[in-house]
Amino acid sequence: MKIAIPANEKDINTEVSASFGRAPYYLIHDTQSGENTFIENTAAQAAGGAGIKAAQLVVDSGAKVALSPRLGQNAADVLKNSGVEIYKSNDKSLKDNIEDFAAGKLSLLDQFHAGFHGHGG
Amino acid sequence: MKIAVLSGKGGTGKTLIAVNLAALGHDALYLDCDVEEPNGHLFLKPKNPKEKEVFVKIPQVDNELCDGCRKCVDFCAFNALAYVKERLVVFEDICHSCGGCVLLCPQKAFSEKDKPIGKIVSGSWGSVDIHSGFMNVGEASGVPLITELLSIGRENDDALTFIDCPPGSACIVMESIQDADFCVLVAEPTIFGAHNLSMVYELVKLFDKPMGVVLNKCRRGSPNPSEDFCHENKIKILGSIPFDTQLGLLNSNAKIAVEESPHFKELFSDLFEKIKEEATK
């Protein structure tokens, strides 16, 4: 199974990006092989609708789980429609979050913000 | 002649100036493009107002016809489309109604539906024709309402037209000034006011429109950073309106100052003449 996590840098020892839609990269972690791949988020600089396009990228990567500190409603709609489960990440590294998820320490993210849509965040 | 009245922030006096000038003009046309908070109609109270709903086109997909090629998803500059679980999802609030997906779809899987986004209320006050745009609460963009208002302006191309713009320097302001022959920038005598004036000045310069500034809420003998900004950038000052309790009272009671006081009639008439002189240069 693949897990997607928004990342600021292509380094599993760095922390999870605070933004889902505008994170520069996603870490795609394969739980079977243990392989880590970073994909570029081509939506990061989008003028609008970044969350939708970013969620599409994550869905297309084949991820079944996404870890994120927070998520906008539009991105959540795309992920949920695709059957991607969303868990709330903690402020530790990408690597630690994968371990915490595997250990069942992360909870489902069930509150989504309306999106910032050009108003910061 | 079309005169746009704009400012970098709200509350500078755009509507005060626009409605008083319109009241002085014979057979003037007043277009309230401040569609998020239109208030010109509180002053120029239209008789027998007529309402017209304004719609935008939102694409709808027939998932039976869609073969999942995703050309529309890749094309959409606003990222309003997603393709998940072999179904296309349209995010209506993100869609800008460009119609690109409908044109592009090789399967012709799209149709369009009308989505109401607001209304135009039209009426007259004396010889002034008033058209105000009201955007529905929760809508993201008032641009289609402004487009509709400007089309009324184009139908009456010879009329002396005052375009009361939204505050700021965003898309809706750019939309509002596009047909203007002359831009009147209203500025407050504060550092914040001068900063906002500089933003809107940059915008009008980009559009290459002739312009002038009205300094509002001026106190005699007090510093005026907006006036300094005009001198530094060689921007024409069209006139000054004093910080005046009587004017404030008239305005807060939705009165038109030029109708109530010969003093203000003279002040706005001078401003009117100055604008006409500059706009026809």
Side-chain angles (χ1 to χ4, degrees):
Chain A
M1 184 187 67
K2 286 178 177 172
I3 304 172
I5 318 176
N8 291 323
E9 291 174 52
K10 293 187 191 176
D11 179 352
I12 58 161
N13 295 308
T14 59
E15 58 191 32
V16 179
S17 171
S19 167
F20 178 83
R22 296 192 181 276
Y25 309 103
Y26 295 100
L27 165 63
I28 309 296
H29 173 80
D30 189 323
T31 54
Q32 269 91 47
S33 66
E35 192 186 349
N36 290 316
T37 319
F38 284 91
I39 59 169
E40 198 174 328
N41 177 15
T42 51
Q45 304 297 325
I52 297 167
K53 193 173 178 185
Q56 176 85 65
L57 278 168
V58 166
V59 169
D60 293 347
S61 77
K64 292 291 170 237
V65 167
L67 311 183
S68 187
R70 59 181 184 175
L71 197 64
Q73 188 62 56
N74 289 338
D77 285 350
V78 173
L79 294 179
K80 283 175 147 185
N81 278 342
S82 314
V84 176
E85 289 190 331
I86 309 150
Y87 287 83
K88 186 169 168 55
S89 61
N90 56 41
D91 56 9
K92 291 191 274 184
S93 69
L94 297 165
K95 185 167 173 277
D96 290 344
N97 269 278
I98 292 167
E99 285 168 8
D100 286 352
F101 171 73
K105 288 183 188 167
L106 301 184
S107 54
L108 279 168
L109 183 62
D110 51 12
Q111 289 199 322
F112 307 107
H113 61 81
F116 298 105
H117 306 145
H119 299 286
Chain B
M1 184 165 55
K2 295 187 172 73
I3 295 160
V5 185
L6 63 164
S7 71
K9 66 182 279 291
T12 53
K14 289 181 296 297
T15 300
L16 169 79
I17 289 166
V19 299
N20 277 286
L21 295 180
L24 288 171
H26 297 289
D27 305 322
L29 183 62
Y30 170 87
L31 305 175
D32 199 342
C33 290
D34 189 2
V35 299
E36 292 178 22
E37 288 174 296
N39 61 349
H41 63 285
L42 301 176
F43 300 88
L44 300 164
K45 299 165 186 74
K47 283 208 184 83
N48 308 317
K50 287 187 176 54
E51 291 187 7
K52 182 188 171 191
E53 202 158 19
V54 175
F55 301 90
V56 292
K57 299 277 186 203
I58 296 289
Q60 292 187 112
V61 69
D62 181 341
N63 275 299
E64 296 291 307
L65 293 174
C66 173
D67 67 355
C69 76
R70 294 196 188 200
K71 279 187 178 149
C72 56
V73 176
D74 295 336
F75 175 80
C76 182
F78 306 101
N79 301 318
L81 302 170
Y83 189 78
V84 288
K85 284 250 166 130
E86 296 178 5
R87 286 183 80 84
L88 190 76
V89 184
V90 180
F91 287 84
E92 294 191 4
D93 291 343
I94 306 287
C95 176
H96 282 53
S97 306
C98 76
C101 52
V102 183
L103 287 172
L104 198 71
C105 180
Q107 299 298 317
K108 309 241 175 297
F110 284 103
S111 57
E112 287 178 299
K113 64 171 180 185
D114 283 330
K115 177 189 168 198
I117 61 144
K119 60 183 180 182
I120 307 283
V121 180
S122 302
S124 55
W125 177 92
S127 71
V128 184
D129 262 343
I130 308 140
H131 304 271
S132 306
F134 291 79
M135 185 165 82
N136 290 346
V137 172
E139 285 302 325
S141 171
V143 167
L145 284 162
I146 293 168
T147 307
E148 188 75 24
L149 285 165
L150 293 183
S151 75
I152 298 169
R154 285 173 199 160
E155 284 162 19
N156 299 278
D157 231 5
D158 298 333
L160 173 62
T161 305
F162 293 95
I163 303 167
D164 199 350
C165 296
S169 49
C171 302
I172 46 172
V173 181
M174 298 187 218
E175 191 74 18
S176 304
I177 66 168
Q178 60 176 315
D179 284 0
D181 300 304
F182 190 78
C183 291
V184 175
L185 280 51
V186 190
E188 286 177 352
T190 60
I191 294 169
F192 184 43
H195 171 75
N196 288 295
L197 171 62
S198 75
M199 285 167 68
V200 79
Y201 165 68
E202 293 292 330
L203 175 74
V204 174
K205 228 171 43 168
L206 267 180
F207 278 72
D208 210 15
K209 302 271 186 196
M211 65 176 122
V213 168
V214 175
L215 300 167
N216 193 16
K217 307 182 193 177
C218 296
R219 284 175 191 270
R220 201 186 296 246
S222 290
N224 189 336
S226 291
E227 186 176 7
D228 298 341
F229 180 84
C230 291
H231 293 317
E232 284 159 23
N233 293 280
K234 300 187 171 58
I235 311 165
K236 188 83 193 171
I237 295 172
L238 302 162
S240 298
I241 299 173
F243 187 81
D244 186 295
T245 312
Q246 197 199 346
L247 184 59
L249 266 175
L250 287 172
N251 208 44
S252 61
N253 285 302
K255 303 267 196 238
I256 296 166
V258 299
E259 294 282 308
E260 304 290 329
S261 138
H263 168 62
F264 292 127
K265 186 169 187 179
E266 192 186 335
L267 189 137
F268 281 100
S269 298
D270 288 349
L271 182 60
F272 198 167
E273 290 309 314
K274 190 79 193 165
I275 289 170
K276 275 202 281 193
E277 184 190 320
E278 287 297 320
T280 48
K281 256 187 186 171

